[in-house]
Amino acid sequence: MIQETITYTCTNCGSTNIVRNGRNKCGSRQYHCKDCGAYRVLKPKTRRSPRQKATILRACKERCSLRGIQRIFGVARQTVANWIEAHVRSLPDLSQTLLPAQADDVLELDELWSFVGKKQQKRWLWVALCRRTRQIVSFYIGRRDTASCRQLWRGIPAEYRACRCVSDTWSTYQQVIPRHQHTIAGKSSNANAHVERWYNTLRQRLGRYVRRTMSFSKADEQHYRMTRWYIIEYNSEIASLTM
Ligand SMILES: [Zn+2]
């Protein structure tokens, strides 16, 4: 018979005066140190390789919930949320993903509702889509008001801001877009067909990505992050196909 005895010590203070303290949400055993009072994981998991991390992030983008990720890969939800945050922060600026503007480009401006937490918590996603390239040249998440529309407008890079803009008849757009470059189109005219189609794709990919259990401010950040992630990669894909 071969027997091995392992002595665990507190990773915080080095004391051996530690006792079992159940398991954490991922099922890892925890201890409590009676000397320094720390509650820690008994055998900390080894770091994930960049490849494993990439696989897990890809799963997030395929509408796998953070809870699902936790069940499949055994990674805590908060850890995955931190990875997403770091990943999205490392992405380039939206303006850097755009193809050069052309003088006769047309932008379709529109807003679509999404929600954070529950359906009553509406957040409007404002987008400006270039009809020729199908890229999103600006987006903003906020309320359905003139201030948000103005933020969208300000986010449009200078080289695209002189382009002709098409929107629906809602008066907010008329307050923000200079009249000489604004085409107001009724719902039946199909002028916003491309942006509508883009919304369909977005809804399929990001339809219900905000988890109900998160606090609202966190969910808002997460909502913005996932949207930005999707848009930057969407734009970059188009740019790489064209170049
Ligand atoms: Zn300790």
Side-chain angles (χ1 to χ4, degrees):
M1 186 166 94
I2 302 172
Q3 248 185 330
E4 275 185 346
T5 311
I6 305 170
T7 308
Y8 290 101
T9 54
C10 174
T11 52
N12 191 41
C13 70
S15 163
T16 51
N17 191 12
I18 60 175
V19 292
R20 287 175 203 278
N21 195 253
R23 289 171 188 271
N24 68 9
K25 282 180 191 161
C26 291
S28 308
R29 274 166 38 204
Q30 290 183 300
Y31 71 82
H32 169 52
C33 175
K34 293 203 158 175
D35 283 340
C36 73
Y39 291 88
R40 297 277 161 91
V41 174
L42 195 60
K43 286 186 264 186
K45 287 203 183 96
T46 44
R47 292 179 77 83
R48 306 267 166 175
S49 71
R51 232 177 101 187
Q52 279 176 313
K53 231 165 143 172
T55 307
I56 293 169
L57 282 174
R58 214 160 52 231
C60 298
K61 267 199 81 192
E62 292 302 324
R63 293 185 57 170
C64 195
S65 69
L66 292 186
R67 280 167 196 279
I69 302 270
Q70 184 171 307
R71 283 190 292 268
I72 296 167
F73 299 100
V75 187
R77 272 185 295 158
Q78 191 51 53
T79 307
V80 181
N82 293 346
W83 290 352
I84 292 174
E85 187 185 345
H87 178 69
V88 174
R89 211 185 298 127
S90 75
L91 292 174
D93 243 31
L94 182 92
S95 59
Q96 287 172 267
T97 65
L98 298 178
L99 295 161
Q102 290 176 10
D104 58 349
D105 272 337
V106 176
L107 303 182
E108 295 182 11
L109 276 64
D110 208 349
E111 78 289 346
L112 121 148
W113 72 267
S114 59
F115 61 89
V116 168
K118 48 186 179 186
K119 295 233 170 176
Q120 290 91 327
Q121 303 264 343
K122 277 191 183 177
R123 300 289 184 275
W124 292 84
L125 170 62
W126 295 76
V127 296
L129 174 141
C130 173
R131 195 178 276 173
R132 175 180 55 89
T133 66
R134 306 289 157 81
Q135 286 186 311
I136 303 298
V137 301
S138 175
F139 77 96
Y140 183 77
I141 300 173
R143 283 134 77 98
R144 196 172 186 238
D145 57 14
T146 314
S148 297
C149 186
R150 203 155 275 139
Q151 292 292 338
L152 173 76
W153 179 255
R154 284 205 191 112
I156 299 177
E159 61 166 334
Y160 276 96
R161 212 179 295 168
C163 294
R164 173 140 292 279
C165 296
V166 182
S167 78
D168 60 35
T169 54
W170 192 30
S171 62
T172 287
Y173 289 108
Q174 294 161 47
Q175 290 169 43
V176 174
I177 306 168
R179 193 177 294 173
H180 67 273
Q181 64 186 97
H182 189 193
T183 305
I184 301 163
K187 279 278 174 216
S188 54
S189 68
N190 248 354
N192 274 357
H194 303 97
V195 76
E196 302 279 351
R197 201 167 309 138
W198 184 81
Y199 282 156
N200 278 341
T201 323
L202 177 82
R203 284 221 195 268
Q204 271 165 23
R205 299 295 299 273
L206 291 183
R208 34 161 297 229
Y209 58 94
V210 180
R211 316 288 1 130
R212 277 158 196 267
T213 49
M214 285 187 168
S215 75
F216 287 129
S217 66
K218 260 192 189 162
D220 267 329
E221 286 164 24
Q222 189 74 348
H223 190 65
Y224 172 77
R225 233 171 252 144
M226 296 300 284
T227 308
R228 179 168 139 75
W229 186 6
Y230 179 80
I231 289 175
I232 296 286
E233 289 204 351
Y234 165 82
N235 277 355
S236 303
E237 259 164 51
I238 292 179
S240 68
L241 287 175
T242 314
M243 284 193 279

